[in-house]
Amino acid sequence: MKIIDESLLDFVAAEAKLSPRLRKNYNFHQSLDDKCHRFLNAMEPGTFVPIHHHPTKDETLVILKGRVRVSTYNDKGEVLETCVLCHEEGRYGADIPKNVWHDVECLEPSVLMECKEGPFVPHEADGILEVKK
């Protein structure tokens, strides 16, 4: 059994600070081929998960520490909905249906618990939404 406690969150957060991407995953699944991916995603301010979608996979995000903004978009890159997840403010997570464009912006040092179907498939060109400004 793995216990998700303050010590583990602090460990993963420290790893994120050292990462060039300012993010670090801590996987509970054993392999990228596993059918269910469960992991902690520690993020530092300045990191941003670009607008992307998973054509065949739902994704659930639960905030354990910090604050992040999650937004959804239409195919033109226009914001449909946005929410700041923050445990202290009573917004604990977001469930994003398959094929919905979304992003995550870190607003303060944060740790999310994420769950989605495996196996891991790298995003192809059509998995990232390029928004013209």
Side-chain angles (χ1 to χ4, degrees):
M1 176 168 55
K2 298 232 183 195
I3 305 299
I4 302 169
D5 59 11
E6 197 69 29
S7 176
L8 179 58
L9 298 186
D10 289 346
F11 170 78
V12 180
E15 294 283 312
K17 285 181 185 177
L18 298 175
S19 167
R21 294 182 341 141
L22 298 175
R23 279 195 282 161
K24 184 67 175 181
N25 286 359
Y26 180 93
N27 294 342
F28 295 104
H29 53 280
Q30 300 299 307
S31 162
L32 294 179
D33 292 326
D34 283 359
K35 294 182 189 241
C36 181
H37 286 202
R38 301 149 349 266
F39 56 97
L40 301 178
N41 190 348
M43 304 175 171
E44 286 292 307
T47 192
F48 183 79
V49 179
I51 302 170
H52 66 287
H53 69 162
H54 309 283
T56 62
K57 301 175 184 186
D58 299 330
E59 181 174 17
T60 301
L61 310 172
V62 177
I63 192 82
L64 300 177
K65 187 176 196 173
R67 294 174 76 235
V68 299
R69 178 179 294 115
V70 179
S71 300
T72 60
Y73 299 82
N74 64 20
D75 289 339
K76 296 177 186 175
E78 300 164 335
V79 175
L80 296 174
E81 192 171 11
T82 191
C83 179
V84 173
L85 303 181
C86 178
H87 193 269
E88 288 79 19
E89 296 172 12
R91 286 181 303 282
Y92 305 108
D95 188 64
I96 300 164
K98 64 185 171 190
N99 209 33
V100 172
W101 295 106
H102 61 284
D103 66 12
V104 180
E105 178 185 4
C106 181
L107 303 174
E108 64 184 50
S110 300
V111 181
L112 292 168
M113 175 79 182
E114 296 191 30
C115 186
K116 62 185 158 202
E117 180 184 348
F120 172 75
V121 177
H123 289 294
E124 297 182 13
D126 63 355
I128 303 291
L129 184 62
E130 296 294 328
V131 179
K132 296 180 175 134
K133 295 184 180 191

